[in-house]
Amino acid sequence: MAVDQLSPTEKLLFYRDHVYSSVQYTSFYKPDKVSEALSYIWMCQGKEKWARIVNRMKALGRYTSRNEQDIRNELSLIGDRRDLIAHSVDKLPGAQVPNPVSRDDAARVIQFMADLASAIDEETESQLKMTAA
């Protein structure tokens, strides 16, 4: 198939379908998996991906004191907590009762994930504009 002969809309659909089929069974709560998925659509080096995400998150004003490793660690901790909830009813080893999840903790995680998704989306849009120019 000659992708370069497709219309812009056909190219978008072609790439969307191929990216989706490549990552549809991948979990994105580990930083390396996020980076791997972004390699399908971002034209930058692997180590640069998280730096771009963190810069976009810092622009929100909520992450100014955080560095790349802090952001990656938080995503990993959220994923680990998700695994605990999904696979062991969120009980710590040896505990008799579930580890409580507070409303504030849930709200913070939701905000973090929304900010992370927005940062990735904004950087993707920026890179698409650069390649279109």
Side-chain angles (χ1 to χ4, degrees), residues 30-102:
K30 298 292 183 190
D32 291 342
K33 290 297 184 182
V34 171
S35 186
E36 179 184 326
L38 290 174
S39 68
Y40 288 102
I41 56 174
W42 285 14
M43 303 298 292
C44 62
Q45 297 297 318
K47 293 189 182 264
E48 192 178 334
K49 289 181 184 84
W50 277 100
R52 289 178 182 219
I53 291 169
V54 171
N55 284 339
R56 298 240 177 225
M57 290 180 76
K58 283 185 175 193
L60 298 170
R62 286 187 283 275
Y63 306 94
T64 54
S65 65
R66 312 275 299 277
N67 63 33
E68 181 181 326
Q69 193 60 47
D70 293 336
I71 298 296
R72 291 170 61 101
N73 287 345
E74 183 158 350
L75 179 59
S76 292
L77 289 172
I78 290 168
D80 293 345
R81 183 78 184 264
R82 177 245 167 238
D83 285 348
L84 284 173
I85 292 167
H87 300 296
S88 63
V89 195
D90 204 22
K91 286 185 182 178
L92 296 175
Q96 297 298 316
V97 296
N99 188 21
V101 177
S102 71

Side-chain angles (χ1 to χ4, degrees), residues 6-17 128:
L6 297 175
S7 73
T9 302
E10 291 170 325
K11 284 181 185 178
L12 177 64
L13 293 173
F14 173 81
Y15 286 117
R16 185 193 68 188
D17 291 344
L128 286 172

